[in-house]
Every structure is written in C-alpha cells, then in structure tokens.
Amino acid sequence: MRAAARGAVYAAVTGRMGGRCQCRTGDPGACGKAHAVTGRDCCGRGGARRALVVVPVDPAVPDHIAAVLPAERLIALCPACWDRRRNAALAADAGTAQPELFPAPTTEGTDES
Ligand SMILES: [Zn+2]
Ligand SMILES: [Zn+2]
C-alpha cells in the first residue's frame, strides 16, 4: 500500500473517536489494563512526542494482511495501551509482536528517535 493510502487509513481510524484511544477493557484489541478514568474506555490521547498508533484489532493478524486491512478492522491505541498490548504479546509469544504498520503522518517534523 502506498504511503498516501496508509495516511488516509490512519486518519479514518483515529478520527472515529476524535483522536482518542479506542482501547476498551474486555473488547478485542484491548491492552488488558483496566483504565482508570472510566473503568473501561481509555480515551487517552497521543502525546506531543508519540501519536496514536493504528494497529489491527486482532493481534494475531499477520503483517502482510494487516497492512491492507480496511479501517473497520483497525483500532487506534494511545502509546501507553500500544506498549502494554505489544509487551503482552511479546510475553505470550515472541513471534506475534506487530510493528507499527500505520505510522502517523510526519508532516510536522516529529522526532522519530
Ligand atoms: Zn489507551
Ligand atoms: Zn488500554
């Protein structure tokens, strides 16, 4: 998929919740943590240094499939939830950790370090 197309997918997914984390305790794709604010929805936002991450709802989807999934099968996670979900996957099976397939657009010159 071309970078422009991925940018459109990123915008579509993150726009669903107004730029907030879509992690919801107990739902598919959730990080597994009980979120403090509502007890269920995270609603976290990406920070200035790290934007929301768009990943497949299903952590087991292979990368080459995940890269072409429609927006409906993707979820936007805040960096904290993404780290928890990824770390949980790493702990369970080193082979299932996913890369960030839909990086945030870098038009504002973000620091990628
Ligand atoms: Zn979150
Ligand atoms: Zn979460």
Side-chain angles (χ1 to χ4, degrees), residues 21-23 31 35 42-45 52 76-82 84:
C21 177
Q22 292 158 25
C23 184
C31 69
H35 301 108
C42 172
C43 297
R45 291 179 178 275
L52 288 176
L77 298 178
C78 69
C81 287
W82 164 238
R84 276 191 293 272

Side-chain angles (χ1 to χ4, degrees), residues 7-90:
V9 171
Y10 181 90
V13 176
T14 56
R16 277 200 301 246
M17 287 276 287
R20 291 199 300 266
C21 177
Q22 292 158 25
C23 184
R24 175 178 280 185
T25 305
D27 277 7
C31 69
K33 178 181 182 288
H35 301 108
V37 178
T38 65
R40 185 137 194 257
D41 299 288
C42 172
C43 297
R45 291 179 178 275
R49 294 178 58 83
R50 295 182 67 193
L52 288 176
V53 180
V54 173
V55 293
V57 171
D58 182 356
V61 170
D63 297 344
H64 67 284
I65 302 289
V68 295
L69 284 177
E72 308 87 75
R73 295 185 58 189
L74 299 167
I75 187 172
L77 298 178
C78 69
C81 287
W82 164 238
D83 284 346
R84 276 191 293 272
R85 194 178 102 162
R86 186 166 50 179
N87 288 339
L90 280 169

